[in-house]
Amino acid sequence: MKRESKTQYALLGILSQCEMNGYEIRKYIESTISFFWNESFGQIYPTLSKLEKDGLIREWEKTDQNGKKKKVFKITRSGLEEFRKWMDSSPIQSNRRNELLFKVFFGRHMNPKLLVEQLESEIQKQKTDLKSLKQFQKELKTEWENHPDNEYWYFTLEFAEKQTMLTVDWIEKVKSKIKEKK
């Protein structure tokens, strides 16, 4: 069964906060919501075209602070209505795919040394993610303190931080149990 793509709603949500071009949308995702949501350029650009064709966003030319013109996308009133309708009506569907848990679950079929190496690599990734989360928290306190979504952003950051720390602790425990078995 094919899963419904949520890319259009992610882009509408992002554009509900600020007008951006495709590159800026990707950078926004990387610096803010990448710990729970990701979209590639290959998903962003075709979806932007479809949203524009459907009248949910529009492209326009904007002049930046340096006087340079650039094209950005802005959500339309019908786009905002569509986004809010989806937010109100769509049930939450947590992602059920987790390769970390999959590999540990079937770990008996893996070379223990390789599994430990992959777990150590995942710990480093999680620690890097934690640094990014801390950086975003600092930005929220300084640059985004008065934004109307600030409180909701803190909720998600708190979850991500706790989940990341829990994941690191759990991997360390699993890693030491696997090492004991060698």
Side-chain angles (χ1 to χ4, degrees):
M1 181 174 178
K2 188 177 177 191
R3 294 185 309 182
E4 177 195 6
S5 172
K6 306 285 193 302
T7 300
Q8 65 182 353
Y9 303 112
L11 299 185
L12 288 172
I14 291 165
L15 292 173
S16 76
Q17 296 180 335
C18 184
E19 53 212 28
M20 298 178 216
N21 61 34
Y23 177 78
E24 291 167 331
I25 289 170
R26 179 71 183 121
K27 287 297 179 193
Y28 176 89
I29 291 169
E30 287 175 3
S31 66
T32 58
I33 63 174
S34 64
F35 57 92
F36 65 87
W37 197 275
N38 204 1
E39 300 290 348
S40 69
F41 285 121
Q43 294 166 301
I44 292 170
Y45 286 107
T47 304
L48 287 172
S49 293
K50 183 183 181 324
L51 290 171
E52 185 176 27
K53 185 178 138 225
D54 294 345
L56 301 177
I57 64 172
R58 68 179 178 90
E59 184 179 39
W60 66 291
E61 202 169 83
K62 176 181 176 181
T63 306
D64 67 14
Q65 299 144 317
N66 302 323
K68 186 178 175 188
K69 292 183 180 198
K70 68 177 184 176
K71 291 187 177 188
V72 294
F73 292 95
K74 181 177 184 168
I75 194 167
T76 62
R77 183 169 301 183
S78 58
L80 189 56
E81 287 171 9
E82 179 69 20
F83 177 64
R84 287 179 173 160
K85 183 175 126 187
W86 177 79
M87 288 288 287
D88 288 345
S89 65
S90 177
I92 294 172
Q93 296 178 8
S94 299
N95 184 359
R96 297 286 182 199
R97 296 176 74 114
N98 184 319
E99 193 170 331
L100 166 65
L101 293 178
F102 186 89
K103 289 240 179 157
V104 171
F105 187 85
F106 292 106
R108 161 177 85 83
H109 300 285
M110 218 177 149
N111 177 323
K113 183 179 178 193
L114 290 175
L115 180 55
V116 167
E117 286 174 9
Q118 288 185 14
L119 292 173
E120 288 171 349
S121 176
E122 183 61 23
I123 288 170
Q124 292 312 309
K125 180 191 166 298
Q126 295 285 330
K127 288 181 177 179
T128 299
D129 288 350
L130 200 52
K131 286 180 187 174
S132 296
L133 290 169
K134 297 283 188 194
Q135 178 61 38
F136 187 45
Q137 285 174 338
K138 286 180 187 175
E139 289 175 22
L140 280 181
K141 288 180 183 170
T142 56
E143 299 172 36
W144 301 96
E145 188 173 19
N146 297 319
H147 193 283
D149 291 326
N150 186 285
E151 180 180 27
Y152 296 96
W153 293 343
Y154 272 113
F155 294 154
T156 57
L157 280 173
E158 179 185 23
F159 175 85
E161 183 179 14
K162 287 182 178 191
Q163 185 177 32
T164 303
M165 292 184 330
L166 176 68
T167 300
V168 169
D169 289 345
W170 179 81
I171 294 172
E172 290 287 3
K173 179 182 169 187
V174 169
K175 192 175 78 168
S176 62
K177 295 239 182 219
I178 292 169
K179 283 182 173 180
E180 286 174 10
K181 292 180 78 168
K182 285 191 201 178

